[in-house]
Amino acid sequence: MESLLGPDHNHPEAVHRLTPVLRIETLVDGVFAIAMTILVLDLVVPQVADPAELVPRLVGMWPRFAIYAVSFVLLGAYWIAHHSQYRFIERADRIMLLLNIVFLMLVALLPFAASLMGEYPDRQVSAVFYGVLVGLIGVVGGLHWWYVTRDRRFIVPDVDLEFVTIVRRRIALTPVLALLAIGLSFVSTYASLAVYILLPSSYLLPNRLDRYFDQAPDGWPSFTANVL
Amino acid sequence: MESLLGPDHNHPEAVHRLTPVLRIETLVDGVFAIAMTILVLDLVVPQVADPAELVPRLVGMWPRFAIYAVSFVLLGAYWIAHHSQYRFIERADRIMLLLNIVFLMLVALLPFAASLMGEYPDRQVSAVFYGVLVGLIGVVGGLHWWYVTRDRRFIVPDVDLEFVTIVRRRIALTPVLALLAIGLSFVSTYASLAVYILLPSSYLLPNRLDRYFDQAPDGWPSFTANVL
Amino acid sequence: MESLLGPDHNHPEAVHRLTPVLRIETLVDGVFAIAMTILVLDLVVPQVADPAELVPRLVGMWPRFAIYAVSFVLLGAYWIAHHSQYRFIERADRIMLLLNIVFLMLVALLPFAASLMGEYPDRQVSAVFYGVLVGLIGVVGGLHWWYVTRDRRFIVPDVDLEFVTIVRRRIALTPVLALLAIGLSFVSTYASLAVYILLPSSYLLPNRLDRYFDQAPDGWPSFTANVL
Amino acid sequence: MESLLGPDHNHPEAVHRLTPVLRIETLVDGVFAIAMTILVLDLVVPQVADPAELVPRLVGMWPRFAIYAVSFVLLGAYWIAHHSQYRFIERADRIMLLLNIVFLMLVALLPFAASLMGEYPDRQVSAVFYGVLVGLIGVVGGLHWWYVTRDRRFIVPDVDLEFVTIVRRRIALTPVLALLAIGLSFVSTYASLAVYILLPSSYLLPNRLDRYFDQAPDGWPSFTANVL
């Protein structure tokens, strides 16, 4: 009886080692799905006395719709990045659990940052708060990748050193882009927003990692390139 | 050791290839379950000064209850359709991930569209917004099916060409019905609502695909007919 | 490679047959977990001008806390009942999917019924609405059990006829108790509430089905007795 | 065909026995993920007339941000503790299901306790309510561990008696810390808050159980130390 959920009498240690990794992924999936979906709670139907005002009021909500879309795609990109890391991870320890909980605590805060930006789209504090949060999520995600790959302690044995290095450099990009957006907020909050739109595309469009994977063995499809 | 969650030492590439598909389904399940359940948050208990007003106020909420039921069943039908696609998919790439995130972004917006229609059931903008959203979900779902079946790149080898074609035509039905509902909103928003009630029944009632599956091999029960 | 998530080359039909059942359970888990957890959103921290009022105001919220607890445990019991059914089910069809979506639509409505009862604990309409909803959830759950066991079409072959019959009778209990609670609401809404407290205990306490399972083969632990 | 989700024709009883344990974990994951994520709903963007007030108002929200972080990490620690228990559990019965539902009912109440503390950070009732709830979650978690390990009825056979005893003592720590926080609330609610910050660190930092696991066989990585 080979089961993930009970003792595997042939390879007990394998099952025990894998279980926490599965559980982390389940919690991560839950928090991401909820954080993404409750973004919609910030879109509140306007109360109008005169029905003719309804359409203009809805149109006037465009910054909220824009923030909704940007935040949803951004969380989606971070979710992909997180799972891509876990494709190479086969064990977890206490520090990783703590890093994951802090990571999720920041992820679950994004609906507040989105709400702030939707309510005050032209206040600099909104763009800065959003940028700091997005940057911190990137930093914690990067710390996680650095921790699991250090001395190759938690990753599957066949991960290549060049891959680890490319991903490390790539992870540094998110906080840099977040800093750029924060800098641009001194000029215009809408310029910051433009950077937040571009940020997930760096995960979702073909890139240098794809070329790397094209030469990689069969079991590494281009998907795996989406590491944070 | 045969496990979905760790390296299978006999077939490592098989596991790596399957993992992203599983993760997509988990996120999709989460977003659908949340979007469906938070529809209830739009049903707010009325505040009445005179207790005798409570029952009439609840009865007066009937359009909200109707929208709740229609939206819940509609999301349920789309959820079935999405999973039916994934029964034939064995790999994922970056484009598919992007399509899924956009799909979920539209799905998670349905509670707002439902709230708008519940608040303003007789304003045309409500019926149009709802129709555009429902239609777009269908279009993105259709793009996804077209993309995964093109050159049979992401689907299991034994999927039959006739099946792919029937499903493609079938998917075109949702945007057409949504356009019909939008057109009917010029006459009456309640006529549009009637179309939205009928729309999921096209997925849930026996249909041409069932007849196809009746002749299909054993492993394809009639359930698989519910492809978007 | 034996996997639930991809084609099993030895037993392809087995995998295809099982997948929809797994997906139904995932959606059900999600909707139940969310419906249970958002019950807390009805507990709103009171706004007081004089800090000395805070404790009396919190104490005065006791009906809301009571409804919270009753509804949480009731949903928990229904969740157990639903999964117990699925322990014997190996296939799904279109009708079952529809029944499940209607079942979940009613389940997700319970937070509204709980909110109504918390806001107006002594209005009969609250107790009646709650009772009708709880009864309907039982009726749809019963229809589902009747449908899957009819001609033993969807259940595993080794389920015993006596078991099916005991469960069928047992399921009839929930709507009967709900009717009793509705009747008692003509006397007092708190008498109805008492019935709603007792209702889940009929699933959670040892009962006739346990005695049945004590004589059953090894693989049927007493847990399975919790069929709706 | 070795599957967790359908009849295993070689070991049918094994599958039936495991299923409820898996389902409990899924519901637990869902409730924890939602309770953690909806903590953010208590962070409401302030409405200001004069834009210059926005930053001071956000800074003034610091107790809410602090409670958010403390509650998120605390729930994360309890989630780890719960799953650590289930790594040793191979069966479930009716009493365990009831204990789990009561456990989750308390867990899902934490967002209310957090909201109370965020709204009235210097009222003693907030710190006491939070402490009673956190203590009760620990007590129910402890009852659960005591119940499953009593006569080793529900745990895997190879769990060592010394381990069970260390964990039992360790579990007693949470209610003791909660009582300490309640006591300190007579001095200052911020002193209580400090205890709530320390509480999860007792799960997340290296401790006596780690030393135990360092000598344990391979399949017991240090992660398993995080038992409630």
Side-chain angles (χ1 to χ4, degrees), chain D residues 17-56:
Chain D
R17 196 176 285 140
L18 289 167
T19 312
V21 173
L22 166 60
R23 300 262 63 100
I24 290 171
E25 294 198 80
T26 318
L27 188 74
V28 166
D29 285 345
V31 171
F32 268 95
I34 301 154
M36 288 162 88
T37 315
I38 64 174
L39 287 168
V40 78
L41 298 182
D42 200 48
L43 301 172
V44 178
V45 172
Q47 298 294 321
V48 294
D50 174 6
E53 285 171 37
L54 184 57
V55 174

Side-chain angles (χ1 to χ4, degrees), chain C residues 180-203:
Chain C
L180 174 67
I182 291 167
L184 283 171
S185 74
F186 286 89
V187 184
S188 157
T189 55
Y190 295 96
S192 306
L193 188 57
V195 176
Y196 300 132
I197 293 169
L198 292 175
L199 210 149
S201 63
S202 80
Y203 294 112

Side-chain angles (χ1 to χ4, degrees), chain B residues 70 73-74 77 173 177 180 184 191-205:
Chain B
V70 169
V73 175
L74 194 60
L173 194 65
L177 284 175
L180 174 68
L184 283 171
S192 306
L193 188 56
V195 177
Y196 300 132
I197 292 170
L198 292 175
L199 209 149
S201 62
S202 80
Y203 293 112
L204 295 164
L205 300 180

Side-chain angles (χ1 to χ4, degrees), chain B residues 2 4 8 11 14-15 18 22 25-26 29 32-34 36-38 40-41 43-48 51-52 54-55 58 61 65 68-69 72-73 76-77 79-80 83 87 90 156 158 203-207 210 218-223 225-226, chain C residues 1-7 9 12-20 23-27 30-32 34-35 38 41-42 64 91-95 97-98 100-102 104-112 115-117 119-120 123 125-126 129:
Chain B
E2 284 149 38
L4 280 161
D8 177 328
H11 304 276
V15 169
L18 288 167
L22 166 60
E25 294 198 78
T26 318
D29 285 345
F32 268 95
I34 302 154
M36 287 162 90
T37 316
I38 64 174
V40 78
L41 298 182
L43 301 172
V44 178
V45 171
Q47 298 295 321
V48 293
L54 184 57
V55 175
L58 285 170
M61 281 171 70
F65 286 103
Y68 169 80
F72 201 97
V73 175
W79 171 80
I80 293 168
H83 275 304
R87 297 186 68 194
E90 56 176 10
V156 291
D158 53 344
Y203 293 112
L204 295 164
L205 300 180
N207 56 50
D210 285 326
D218 228 37
W220 282 31
S222 95
F223 169 82
N226 294 298
Chain C
M1 175 59 199
E2 284 150 40
S3 155
L4 280 162
L5 295 136
H9 298 297
E13 75 292 346
V15 169
H16 283 152
R17 195 177 285 141
L18 289 168
T19 311
R23 300 261 63 100
I24 290 171
E25 294 198 79
T26 317
L27 188 74
V31 170
F32 268 95
I34 301 154
I38 65 174
L41 297 182
D42 201 47
R64 286 186 189 272
R91 276 180 306 164
D93 76 348
R94 218 181 274 275
I95 305 291
L97 286 168
L98 184 59
N100 271 289
I101 288 170
V102 172
L104 292 179
M105 190 185 79
L106 297 169
V107 163
L109 206 52
L110 203 78
F112 173 76
S115 182
L116 185 64
M117 206 144 158
E119 184 74 27
Y120 302 103
R123 303 300 304 166
V125 67
S126 309
F129 191 100

Side-chain angles (χ1 to χ4, degrees), chain B residues 12 36 63 69 98 131 137 168 170-171 177 183 186 204 206 210 220:
Chain B
M36 287 162 90
L98 184 59
I137 297 172
R168 282 196 189 169
R170 198 172 169 69
I171 290 175
L177 284 175
F186 286 89
L204 295 164
D210 285 326
W220 282 31

Side-chain angles (χ1 to χ4, degrees), chain A residues 130-167:
Chain A
Y130 199 91
V132 168
L133 187 60
V134 165
L136 278 177
I137 296 173
V139 167
V140 176
L143 268 175
H144 188 274
W145 182 245
W146 170 80
Y147 183 76
V148 298
T149 55
R150 192 168 54 113
D151 309 328
R152 321 178 130 261
R153 280 186 302 178
F154 298 98
I155 50 171
V156 291
D158 53 345
V159 174
D160 172 311
L161 193 67
E162 194 193 337
F163 174 76
V164 169
T165 312
I166 298 179
V167 173

